[in-house]
Amino acid sequence: MLNFLSLKSVVVVAFEFGQESAHTFSDYRENIDSYVENMNAIFTQVNQWCEENDVKLSVSVPMNLADKNAKVLKKLKIKTYIMAYENVDQKKLLKRTEKLRNILKDNFVWVLRLSDFENVEILNTALNELYKHGITEISYYDVSMLLKK
């Protein structure tokens, strides 16, 4: 019988853990510290399991990730994908994520959502802006958009 644990030896050598925005929950503001600590516990436990099973872990996070969460990701050396969505103005997004990026140092990948860009020229402008700021590790969300054009 094939299962996840047997798959890792055949095909799976990494898996991505998406951290959805806790701020969408109705009790987030009253319980922010609890949400942050719970997320750190999850990061730590999942990372430990991955290390024990020789699986590489990465995490996708929103731009408003709490500093305490970012510090744990940095400490555990978990590759972090910053979801830089909903705005094509990379200068604004870079400013908004400056503290997060400074915490993570070189342990992050900048993720662009292709559907945010009207055309290739706007995408290229964004890429050039990122390169000017030293961001060269870039990933794309929803590559299926390329197939539609």
Side-chain angles (χ1 to χ4, degrees), residues 98-116:
E98 186 173 11
K99 191 172 183 181
L100 173 61
R101 291 180 295 108
N102 284 335
I103 292 169
L104 296 171
K105 301 288 184 207
D106 61 348
N107 197 41
F108 73 89
V109 176
W110 193 258
V111 183
L112 298 173
R113 183 172 59 187
L114 292 177
S115 62
D116 290 339

Side-chain angles (χ1 to χ4, degrees), residues 85-101:
Y85 300 166
E86 298 175 11
N87 193 331
V88 297
D89 186 343
Q90 298 305 298
K91 286 181 186 176
K92 285 183 181 178
L93 298 180
L94 289 166
K95 183 174 180 165
R96 183 174 165 194
T97 60
E98 186 173 11
K99 191 172 183 181
L100 173 61
R101 291 180 295 108

Side-chain angles (χ1 to χ4, degrees), residues 3-121:
N3 62 38
F4 176 76
L5 294 177
S6 65
L7 276 178
K8 83 173 179 68
S9 63
V10 178
V11 176
V12 179
V13 293
F15 90 111
E16 189 267 342
F17 176 69
Q19 190 258 320
E20 297 304 324
S21 300
H23 73 276
T24 62
F25 298 123
S26 61
D27 66 338
Y28 178 73
R29 290 204 189 279
E30 303 88 59
N31 298 304
I32 190 168
D33 291 336
S34 177
Y35 277 104
V36 168
E37 292 308 317
N38 287 340
M39 213 54 240
N40 282 342
I42 291 170
F43 290 149
T44 302
Q45 291 169 11
V46 171
N47 187 64
Q48 181 179 353
W49 183 91
C50 287
E51 286 178 351
E52 291 169 358
N53 290 278
D54 198 27
V55 174
K56 188 159 179 66
L57 173 65
S58 63
V59 179
S60 59
V61 300
M63 291 182 287
N64 63 346
L65 183 71
D67 293 353
K68 286 183 180 180
N69 292 142
K71 289 175 183 175
V72 167
L73 293 172
K74 176 64 176 169
K75 178 182 171 189
L76 296 174
K77 298 177 182 164
I78 298 173
K79 181 65 82 174
T80 304
Y81 288 73
I82 301 173
M83 299 180 290
Y85 300 166
E86 298 175 11
N87 193 331
V88 297
D89 186 343
Q90 298 305 298
K91 286 181 186 176
K92 285 183 181 178
L93 298 180
L94 289 166
K95 183 174 180 165
R96 183 174 165 194
T97 60
E98 186 173 11
K99 191 172 183 181
L100 173 61
R101 291 180 295 108
N102 284 335
I103 292 169
L104 296 171
K105 301 288 184 207
D106 61 348
N107 197 41
F108 73 89
V109 176
W110 193 258
V111 183
L112 298 173
R113 183 172 59 187
L114 292 177
S115 62
D116 290 339
F117 299 89
E118 287 183 32
N119 57 51
V120 174
E121 291 79 23

